[in-house]
Amino acid sequence: MLNLDFSFALPNTIPDKDGQGTGFTSVKKNSSGDQYQPSDIDLDTAAKTLTLTANKGSSAWSSNSLKNALQHGIDDTKPFVISTRLKGSPQKLTTAFQQGGIFFGSDQDNYVKLVLINTGGTNGLKLQFFKEENGSGSSIREINHFQWGKIN
C-alpha cells in the first residue's frame, strides 16, 4: 500500500524546489520536454501538504503540455484505491480551466481524471469526471450547482 501523507520527505523520489523527495517516482512526459518544473513544487512536511503551482499547460488532446504531472507506478493486477484531498476554498479557482484533483493513466493521451474545475461562463465551478482515450477526450459526468462558498 502506498500512502503519501506528505508528513516527511522520501529519499530517491522526485524532489521539490528545496530538494525534498515528494514520494512520487517520476514525472509524466509532455510534448515540450519541459514537464518537470521543481520551482513550482513545494513539500511542506509541517503542514502535511504538497503544493503544485500551475503553469500554463494542458493535458488536453491538442497540446499535451502539462507540467509537473507527478506520478507513481502501481501494480494494476491487484485491486487499488486512489484518493486525494484539495485544501482550501474551491472558489480560489477563479480563471477558466483552472483545476485541481487527481488523474490516473498511462500518458497524456490515455487517462481519467476527477477534478474540481472552473469551466468559465455562467456555470463556473464543476466537479468533473473526464476521460481521454487515444487522444480523444470526453466528459463522463459533470456536477455543478454546489454551494461552493460553504465548502472548504
Side-chain angles (χ1 to χ4, degrees):
M1 178 171 85
L2 173 68
N3 182 10
L4 299 177
D5 69 2
F6 308 118
S7 61
F8 55 91
L10 289 168
N12 303 314
T13 62
I14 299 299
D16 75 344
K17 66 182 182 178
D18 302 312
Q20 299 180 93
T22 60
F24 291 95
T25 55
S26 61
V27 180
K28 198 172 292 279
K29 294 183 182 200
N30 70 17
S31 60
S32 307
D34 61 352
Q35 59 271 0
Y36 178 51
Q37 304 289 314
S39 62
D40 293 326
I41 303 171
D42 187 23
L43 176 65
D44 182 340
T45 57
K48 297 183 180 181
T49 60
L50 179 67
T51 301
L52 300 173
T53 302
N55 289 299
K56 185 176 181 181
S58 172
S59 62
W61 53 95
S62 60
S63 66
N64 288 341
S65 60
L66 182 64
K67 295 172 179 67
N68 290 331
L70 303 180
Q71 57 187 9
H72 197 292
I74 61 163
D75 178 359
D76 64 354
T77 64
K78 298 177 183 175
F80 60 92
V81 174
I82 299 172
S83 65
T84 191
R85 180 186 320 199
L86 300 178
K87 293 183 87 172
S89 172
Q91 293 179 308
K92 66 184 174 185
L93 302 175
T94 58
T95 305
F97 304 109
Q98 284 184 321
Q99 56 191 286
I102 194 161
F103 70 98
F104 172 77
S106 57
D107 58 40
Q108 290 191 45
D109 285 326
N110 298 282
Y111 66 91
V112 294
K113 69 179 180 176
L114 180 61
V115 295
L116 178 60
I117 184 170
N118 184 329
T119 58
T122 57
N123 290 327
L125 290 174
K126 295 181 181 181
L127 185 62
Q128 180 189 63
F129 190 38
F130 184 91
K131 72 174 180 172
E132 186 171 328
E133 293 180 275
N134 298 317
S136 179
S138 63
S139 181
I140 296 169
R141 177 91 163 118
E142 290 183 350
I143 302 171
N144 56 5
H145 305 299
F146 286 105
Q147 292 182 345
W148 297 111
K150 295 182 178 184
I151 298 173
N152 189 14

